[in-house]
Amino acid sequence: MNELSSPVSIIMCFYNEHHITLLRSINTILRRTSREQLKEIILVDDSSDKVNSNLKEEISKIDKYKIVKIYRNNKREGLIRSRVYGARQATGEILLFLDSHIEVNQNWLPPLILPILANRTRVTVPIIDLINPDTFDYTSSPLVRGGFNWGLHFKWENLPKDTLKSGEDYTKPFKSPAMAGGLFAIDREYFKHLGEYDMGMSIWGGENIELSLRIWQCGGQILIIPCSRIGHIFRKRRPYGSPDGKDTMLINSLRAALVWLDDYKGYFLNTSGIEKIPEYGNIDDRLKLRNELKCKNFQWYLKNVYPELEIPGQRKNTDALKPEFVPWNMRKRNYLKSFYIKLHNTNLCVTANYKEGIHILKKGTKLKLSKCSSNKNQQWYQTDKLELILGRLLCLELSPSKINNSPVLNKCHESGGDQQWKIKGNLTVSLYNIAAGTCLAVNKSEKNALLVSSLCSNAYMNRWDLVLL
């Protein structure tokens, strides 16, 4: 069999997904994937509130290979159990889990398949690019890897030093301690061997970190594949909330910590602020699985896979490619403009939300409106990298991965994305964040009102005047 013709089963679960977005995701797969590489596309409707009676007909119009199969859960099961159900219906040799709001890029699939065909214990992850939820504009992401904090919350990190030594290194697969979880490929039999997902977990949250730890500690690898790119829409609201109101992210993460963190689980409990352990179900079968697979302990994982994860109270020298901080007045920067950002038709300007009596810029500081003045702490600088820098010190940042997020000041990482702002308009403008796909806004036109992000179509309170210095 041709190594590139290994049948792949794509599994895509959805709940209340907009049907146009869902159809668009399926259409890009069908248009940009060779039939020889594609066994089937399995759609699992997690008992959406509204059933689109025309969905099968609409899919049949674009399903030129007649390989799309639709299943529907009788009740809400959540993303985790829905993915397991989809995987159990699959017949392809390789499973490829995709979110239902994506766009595959050109020649996206072969680079994901080849490493698995060479070694079935490899789990491959594409570069996840950004799709604007308003305009569907596609923006490429930099090369980063996945990690997490002691609360077991996923985060993107810079690559370790010396990862990218030559031009070839920018196209080679590289190891990642964790994966975001929305998009990845895995050998079907290996997925079963590893124990699929933890079926004791509910709805959504934490399953990606648990699976990442299990892969590494039980003999596998997670590889990010630079030559495979898939765009992803980071939505402003996640539909996978728990019907009973439980914090499934916390409970699922607790299960992962109790199974995989060993003597380090106390750091998770402290970071999560858990005062009373919530009911988390039975984990005996997961502990038994760990023993049967002869998995390594978490200390091995820290030493061999993720030495950059700092243990609270201990300082480590890491080799991550973090930009060395140099005072902005000593950096060579190409500043295009400098201005005050004034809310339209007011005398209120954007400044840092300082603590009372303390006027020091710190990372993570939110923004607020203040009476316009000549104060340097209201002076913004735009660079040729589309950064907006307050006082030539910290960049305006808006994370696309956080829900109901607010813009903050942060160290300039010079990687674009969440620190890139497009100025749309001439005299009165909107400030559009490329990664989040939303605009800078406020909810109230008054002093000390905090800045927020909102859809750019919501014209109220997101119009600004740039007063040149």
Side-chain angles (χ1 to χ4, degrees):
M1 180 177 59
N2 186 312
E3 63 179 4
L4 288 180
S5 65
S6 181
V8 174
S9 293
I10 292 177
I11 299 159
M12 186 179 289
C13 305
F14 64 96
Y15 171 70
N16 290 348
E17 184 69 81
H18 193 286
H19 74 284
I20 295 298
T21 303
L22 177 61
L23 288 171
R24 186 179 185 275
S25 301
I26 298 169
N27 191 42
T28 65
I29 295 170
L30 293 170
R31 288 178 57 195
R32 295 175 176 173
T33 311
S34 167
R35 175 66 181 92
E36 289 73 26
Q37 300 161 14
L38 201 55
K39 178 72 173 181
E40 59 201 349
I41 300 176
I42 294 174
L43 303 180
V44 181
D45 180 355
D46 188 21
S47 192
S48 295
D49 297 329
K50 294 182 180 180
V51 179
N52 182 358
S53 58
N54 298 322
L55 181 61
K56 288 186 178 180
E57 181 182 350
E58 292 174 337
I59 289 176
S60 67
K61 294 178 181 178
I62 61 175
D63 183 12
K64 58 182 179 180
Y65 302 143
K66 305 304 176 187
I67 57 172
V68 180
K69 304 173 183 178
I70 306 176
Y71 300 89
R72 178 176 167 83
N73 293 336
N74 293 325
K75 62 177 183 178
R76 278 289 304 283
E77 296 288 352
L79 175 67
I80 297 168
R81 296 188 189 120
S82 295
R83 282 190 160 188
V84 172
Y85 176 74
R88 290 175 180 176
Q89 312 310 310
T91 59
E93 295 181 27
I94 294 175
L95 303 178
L96 180 52
F97 293 97
L98 295 178
D99 284 342
S100 55
H101 33 274
I102 55 94
E103 175 185 337
V104 300
N105 214 310
Q106 301 291 343
N107 197 38
W108 67 285
L109 188 53
L112 289 176
I113 298 174
L114 287 172
I116 298 174
L117 294 178
N119 182 345
R120 79 172 193 137
T121 66
R122 291 170 174 167
V123 177
T124 56
V125 181
I127 298 295
I128 303 175
D129 292 330
L130 307 173
I131 299 178
N132 183 298
D134 292 337
T135 65
F136 284 83
D137 287 344
Y138 190 109
T139 305
S140 63
S141 296
L143 296 186
V144 290
R145 69 174 193 169
F148 53 87
N149 61 20
W150 283 105
L152 298 188
H153 293 149
F154 178 83
K155 61 179 181 177
W156 294 110
E157 296 182 343
N158 294 296
L159 300 181
K161 186 178 180 181
D162 296 331
T163 301
L164 307 174
K165 292 182 179 179
S166 66
E168 292 182 354
D169 292 333
Y170 286 85
T171 60
K172 291 180 180 178
F174 54 85
K175 297 177 181 179
S176 180
M179 60 181 174
L183 323 172
F184 69 94
I186 186 171
D187 179 273
R188 180 164 61 93
E189 292 302 320
Y190 185 60
F191 184 64
K192 292 180 182 179
H193 171 76
L194 277 178
E196 304 174 313
Y197 279 110
D198 177 359
M199 295 293 277
M201 291 186 170
S202 298
I203 307 297
W204 171 91
E207 79 286 347
N208 60 316
I209 301 300
E210 191 278 337
L211 183 56
S212 298
L213 294 174
R214 184 155 32 109
I215 290 167
W216 279 111
Q217 290 179 237
C218 302
Q221 293 182 335
I222 298 173
L223 299 178
I224 293 182
I225 313 299
C227 290
S228 177
R229 287 182 174 266
I230 300 178
H232 182 273
I233 299 173
F234 288 91
R235 299 175 293 187
K236 302 308 294 180
R237 179 187 65 84
R238 299 190 192 279
Y240 280 103
S242 176
D244 56 11
K246 292 182 179 179
D247 187 345
T248 59
M249 176 72 187
L250 177 63
I251 296 172
N252 293 345
S253 297
L254 175 60
R255 288 179 63 89
L258 294 176
V259 174
W260 297 105
L261 297 193
D262 302 325
D263 294 338
Y264 295 85
K265 58 181 174 287
Y267 296 121
F268 165 78
L269 297 174
N270 291 335
T271 302
S272 301
I274 298 178
E275 297 180 359
K276 181 180 179 182
I277 301 294
E279 175 58 43
Y280 57 84
N282 192 302
I283 59 173
D284 289 348
D285 62 327
R286 307 313 287 180
L287 293 170
K288 180 181 177 182
L289 174 68
R290 173 176 172 171
N291 184 60
E292 290 174 346
L293 295 177
K294 296 180 173 56
C295 304
K296 297 180 176 66
N297 58 34
F298 189 69
Q299 187 173 5
W300 173 90
Y301 174 85
L302 284 177
K303 180 180 179 181
N304 295 278
V305 180
Y306 200 11
E308 296 82 11
L309 180 60
E310 292 190 6
I311 298 174
Q314 299 181 18
R315 298 192 64 180
K316 288 188 177 183
N317 293 321
T318 68
D319 290 329
L321 282 174
K322 295 180 180 179
E324 180 183 357
F325 180 77
V326 178
W328 279 98
N329 59 354
M330 296 175 63
R331 284 196 185 186
K332 293 182 179 179
R333 302 290 293 174
N334 186 13
Y335 294 107
L336 303 180
K337 298 178 183 177
S338 57
F339 42 74
Y340 302 105
I341 302 176
K342 184 171 72 73
L343 184 64
H344 186 55
N345 286 333
T346 72
N347 191 33
L348 298 172
C349 289
V350 177
T351 189
N353 185 31
Y354 297 109
K355 291 184 179 180
E356 187 173 354
I358 303 176
H359 284 200
I360 300 176
L361 289 179
K362 292 185 177 181
K363 293 184 294 183
T365 300
K366 294 185 178 182
L367 286 302
K368 69 177 182 180
L369 292 179
S370 182
K371 185 177 178 181
C372 295
S373 67
S374 58
N375 192 314
K376 67 177 182 180
N377 291 321
Q378 292 185 2
Q379 296 175 4
W380 292 86
Y381 296 82
Q382 183 192 30
T383 72
D384 58 347
K385 295 183 178 180
L386 301 184
E387 299 156 318
L388 291 179
I389 304 168
L390 182 58
R392 298 194 181 191
L393 287 173
L394 295 175
C395 278
L396 182 61
E397 179 177 294
L398 184 60
S399 172
S401 61
K402 297 179 181 178
I403 306 305
N404 299 323
N405 54 335
S406 298
V408 297
L409 294 173
N410 222 332
K411 187 174 180 179
C412 299
H413 53 57
E414 300 182 349
S415 297
D418 56 6
Q419 292 185 358
Q420 279 187 307
W421 297 83
K422 283 188 177 181
I423 298 175
K424 295 188 173 183
N426 293 315
L427 298 177
T428 300
V429 303
S430 59
L431 299 175
Y432 170 78
N433 184 270
I434 292 177
T438 54
C439 285
L440 195 68
V442 288
N443 290 324
K444 297 180 181 180
S445 175
E446 61 184 36
K447 186 179 178 181
N448 294 325
L450 293 178
L451 269 68
V452 297
S453 64
S454 73
L455 294 178
C456 299
S457 55
N458 298 338
Y460 184 62
M461 298 296 185
N462 65 8
R463 308 298 290 169
W464 306 93
D465 296 329
L466 302 185
V467 182
L468 298 179
L469 298 178

